[in-house]
Amino acid sequence: MNLQKISLWTLVAMVPVVPLLPLPDFWIAQLNYIGLYSLVCLGLVLLTGVGGLTSFGQAAFVGIGAYSTAWLTLNTGMSPWLTLFVGLALTGASALVVGAITLRMSGHYLPLATIAWGLALYYLMGNLDALGKYDGLLGLKSLSIGETSIGQGRLFFVLSWSMLIAGAVGLLNLLDSRPGRAIRALKGGAQMAEAMGINTFRYKVTIFLIAALFASVSGWLLAHFQRTVNPSAFGLKMGIEYLFMTVVGGVGYVWGALVGAGLVKLLDDYLQVLLPALIGTSGSYEVIVFGIALVLVLKYLPDGLWSVVARYLPHPPRRVDWQNCADLPARSKPSAGSTVLEVDKVRKAFGGLVAVNDISFEVQAGQIVGLIGPNGAGKSTTFNLVTGVLSKTSGQVRFRGEDISQLPARGIARKGMARTFQHVKMIADMTVLENVALGAYSRGRSGVLSSMLRMNQSEERRLMKEAQRQLERIGMGGHLHEQAGNLAMGPQRLMEIARALCCDPALLLLDEPAAGLRHQEKLALAQVLRQLQGEGMSILLVEHDMDLVMDVCDQLVVMEFGTLLTRGTPAEVQANPAVRAAYLGTEH
Ligand code: ADP
Ligand code: MG
């Protein structure tokens, strides 16, 4: 059993057992609050911990859920079970609007925007007559099933914690899925993710939406639990507190949400009693203690309290259960001799520097073409122009006869052009297998909801099988379950090639694949490249290792200072005096 399962079953067992224990009502109420807070923190784990998007505005979404049900049940007599869905719809709509506007912002703008949003909603709630201004709405009914009230105490515990556990399970399922891997790539590898065919903006909006919906459910529960709503529970202070809980608990871990919410809630109550007694006057001293505690946690346990637990509990490797499943469908491949790639007078200027100056060349199906030239010649930039990572100043790129000049990187990847990066781009805290499975993203379909409900398993097995197959193809079959971040440089590069192969490409672009490889690894790489060529793959290769280039390439394109120096077979290029002077002369 792994850590997630142990934690999960412990919680599931708690739900029916806790209400039967002779706990005082006060403790049940505490647990109820912890459940409600945890639900909001769960959303923040996904949004901030996994997705890297900081939000101070979650309390506002709690407020939308709470006020929706309060106003509707009081004014229309609608059943509270129905108002949950109205609240979710309203929250979802506002999250989509806010997300669409703010999630394109980078750096500090998103957190600032969420602060503005949190403040705006707080004052809106506090100033609307229909919502009772700052007094809020009073006299809500408890939730009930038939005649049985489940709005407080032990039955409410069962309801709220069941929802919490369902949310946690959904999140765990999601993170271990095709869309989940894409979400995990948002924080550190957006450029890489786009090059794998992933629409990163859409995933940002999606996790913003999910986090908001979790908060909304919490608000719905809270309104009926407290039987009153007022703006103070949904203001910026509470928004900060939710983030605080999550960070203290461990913002990168689903269980961190529960640990953080539990700890902060209990400490908060305890300190509110203890501190005034110690100091002798009343006041909100706990806030000061929390401030200090947060600084200490951030300094000494930046990944939160749960990271300590996670370190000491076992992490068994993923169970290999895909041996007998079907392969993913393969793309149609270009016929031998046809032109796969045509680069036509492509140009890129960075301000005054023309990094790529009207470069033209072709790659035929089944060829290995080497793009060589001294450092700074413009090879990587050319790669980025071909793969859509950078926009072209002018020129055209055709892939299998189709003009792809205007397509974004993800669109080009989906057409079957895959690449590696000069500086390895990977998700260090995912396993090698999971990293490579990212490459097969564009060959899968399962979405967020089906993944949360674990209806993605047959496709998931096929993706994993493909990832394993490509890793074995490149001699990395022994590293499947290792953390990618623990690999040495050579294996990291091989992992990137396996990831690119997972896309089932018609053209493979490799940017300095042999850099950092040992001699034996280089020989193995040359072998792999020849084997791929034998299987009909077309490859565009940037490489400094001249032995490798001369050995495997059919054609060479030589660049210098952004311009095309010459092109031809390795023998022709080696014999060219201009090349010897400009490139080989300086290299050797
Ligand atoms: P190579 O891969 O052949 O070593 P690059 O394509 O990385 O060369 O770089 C070509 C030239 O363009 C270099 O002079 C480099 O400094 C410049 N360059 C590359 N990327 C950028 C960028 N994003 N902004 C400005 N200049 C850049
Ligand atoms: Mg380069």
Side-chain angles (χ1 to χ4, degrees):
M1 279 247 273
N2 68 22
L3 171 60
Q4 305 288 17
K5 288 208 177 116
I6 295 169
S7 322
L8 180 63
W9 289 112
T10 312
L11 271 178
V12 171
M14 261 178 70
V15 170
V17 170
V18 166
L20 301 175
L21 298 176
L23 287 173
D25 286 348
F26 170 75
W27 281 101
I28 299 288
Q30 292 288 65
L31 284 172
N32 285 339
Y33 274 112
I34 292 171
L36 298 184
Y37 293 161
S38 299
L39 205 49
V40 185
C41 295
L42 269 190
L44 278 172
V45 166
L46 179 69
L47 183 67
T48 306
V50 180
L53 303 170
T54 306
S55 167
F56 293 97
Q58 294 313 101
F61 292 123
V62 181
I64 298 182
Y67 269 99
S68 303
T69 189
W71 191 87
L72 284 169
T73 51
L74 289 173
N75 290 288
T76 68
M78 199 189 255
S79 151
W81 300 100
L82 284 180
T83 59
L84 169 62
F85 297 97
V86 181
L88 285 173
L90 284 173
T91 311
S94 23
L96 285 180
V97 172
V98 175
I101 299 169
T102 57
L103 291 172
R104 287 195 196 275
M105 302 177 180
S106 56
H108 303 307
Y109 292 107
L110 175 71
L112 284 177
T114 62
I115 289 176
W117 151 253
L119 281 175
L121 218 82
Y122 172 75
Y123 287 110
L124 183 71
M125 293 185 281
N127 283 297
L128 281 182
D129 276 324
L131 299 183
K133 298 204 159 182
Y134 288 99
D135 294 331
L137 299 171
L138 310 167
L140 270 78
K141 276 192 290 200
S142 292
L143 293 171
S144 60
I145 298 177
E147 295 299 300
T148 317
S149 162
I150 54 168
Q152 269 82 35
R154 287 168 157 74
L155 288 176
F156 184 80
F157 173 85
V158 174
L159 173 70
S160 57
W161 279 69
S162 300
M163 292 179 106
L164 172 64
I165 291 172
V169 170
L171 216 54
L172 287 171
N173 288 343
L174 174 62
L175 290 176
D176 182 23
S177 72
R178 169 182 177 268
R181 286 184 290 275
I183 291 167
R184 288 160 78 186
L186 289 178
K187 193 162 54 173
Q191 195 191 61
M192 179 271 285
E194 289 275 336
M196 300 299 131
I198 294 165
N199 185 338
T200 51
F201 177 70
R202 236 184 74 191
Y203 276 113
K204 286 182 183 177
V205 174
T206 305
I207 59 176
F208 194 67
L209 179 69
I210 296 174
L213 294 180
F214 275 37
S216 180
V217 173
S218 173
W220 174 77
L221 285 165
L222 183 73
H224 292 285
F225 178 56
Q226 296 192 325
R227 304 182 57 188
T228 150
V229 292
N230 68 68
S232 66
F234 313 120
L236 188 58
K237 176 169 176 288
M238 214 40 220
I240 294 172
E241 216 160 299
Y242 284 125
L243 198 58
F244 174 74
M245 291 179 201
T246 321
V247 170
V248 168
V251 71
Y253 305 91
V254 167
W255 304 122
L258 276 73
V259 172
L263 194 79
V264 171
K265 173 68 185 151
L266 296 179
L267 262 183
D268 194 17
D269 289 351
Y270 186 65
L271 291 176
Q272 271 184 30
V273 177
L274 182 76
L275 287 179
L278 272 181
I279 299 169
T281 57
S282 60
S284 303
Y285 298 111
E286 73 280 358
V287 179
I288 301 169
V289 176
F290 276 133
I292 297 170
L294 182 62
V295 172
L296 291 178
V297 169
L298 287 180
K299 174 146 174 53
Y300 293 104
L301 282 175
D303 296 328
L305 296 170
W306 187 261
S307 65
V308 184
V309 183
R311 207 178 303 152
Y312 291 106
L313 286 168
H315 292 273
R318 176 189 281 267
R319 194 163 56 89
V320 176
D321 58 356
W322 49 79
Q323 297 306 18
N324 299 319
C325 73
D327 290 331
L328 289 171
R331 263 179 235 285
S332 78
K333 296 290 173 343
S335 51
S338 64
T339 305
V340 179
L341 181 73
E342 293 169 81
V343 177
D344 188 4
K345 292 213 184 66
V346 161
R347 183 185 189 86
K348 180 70 186 181
F350 294 111
L353 174 83
V354 182
V356 175
N357 192 353
D358 296 342
I359 290 286
S360 303
F361 63 91
E362 292 100 46
V363 178
Q364 312 292 336
Q367 262 189 342
I368 302 183
V369 175
L371 184 58
I372 63 173
N375 267 328
K379 306 180 296 292
S380 292
T381 307
T382 304
F383 258 41
N384 288 336
L385 296 176
V386 169
T387 53
V389 168
L390 284 174
S391 63
K392 289 162 271 296
T393 305
S394 64
Q396 211 190 38
V397 179
R398 285 182 293 277
F399 180 52
R400 304 182 72 177
E402 184 185 350
D403 182 6
I404 56 164
S405 307
Q406 303 308 320
L407 284 181
R410 60 174 178 274
I412 294 175
R414 286 174 196 162
K415 294 206 174 289
M417 191 193 292
R419 67 169 294 173
T420 64
F421 293 87
Q422 180 174 349
H423 304 286
V424 172
K425 293 188 195 296
M426 57 178 184
I427 313 302
D429 64 359
M430 292 204 311
T431 64
V432 171
L433 189 72
E434 291 170 328
N435 266 284
V436 171
L438 260 179
Y441 177 88
S442 61
R443 300 170 71 190
R445 316 195 63 83
S446 50
V448 167
L449 200 60
S450 69
S451 299
M452 286 180 121
L453 299 172
R454 249 182 120 68
M455 283 155 49
N456 61 340
Q457 289 304 296
S458 83
E459 181 187 277
E460 188 68 8
R461 278 195 284 274
R462 297 168 84 188
L463 292 173
M464 287 299 154
K465 185 182 182 190
E466 177 71 2
Q468 180 178 13
R469 191 168 74 90
Q470 299 301 351
L471 276 163
E472 282 169 352
R473 190 177 185 186
I474 206 137
M476 288 274 293
H479 297 278
L480 301 187
H481 306 293
E482 245 168 82
Q483 292 258 303
N486 295 343
L487 291 180
M489 193 53 156
Q492 279 185 9
R493 289 199 176 278
L494 293 176
M495 178 180 75
E496 275 213 325
I497 298 176
R499 186 179 65 200
L501 288 173
C502 246
C503 158
D504 187 26
L507 176 67
L508 187 61
L509 290 89
L510 305 176
D511 199 349
E512 303 203 20
L517 259 60
R518 289 193 295 261
H519 184 65
Q520 286 304 320
E521 290 174 325
K522 282 184 188 173
L523 294 182
L525 176 68
Q527 184 58 38
V528 169
L529 296 182
R530 266 188 240 103
Q531 179 202 331
L532 288 171
Q533 184 183 30
E535 294 166 18
M537 181 74 73
S538 323
I539 300 172
L540 182 61
L541 176 71
V542 167
E543 185 47 61
H544 276 298
D545 188 307
M546 279 306 123
D547 292 335
L548 180 71
V549 168
M550 297 300 166
D551 181 21
V552 301
C553 291
D554 304 299
Q555 283 285 317
L556 293 180
V557 177
V558 188
M559 287 180 76
E560 192 193 20
F561 302 124
T563 51
L564 185 88
L565 197 59
T566 185
R567 41 196 281 202
T569 64
E572 288 164 358
V573 166
Q574 266 176 315
N576 185 319
V579 176
R580 299 189 81 88
Y583 183 71
L584 300 174
T586 58
E587 281 282 306
H588 294 277

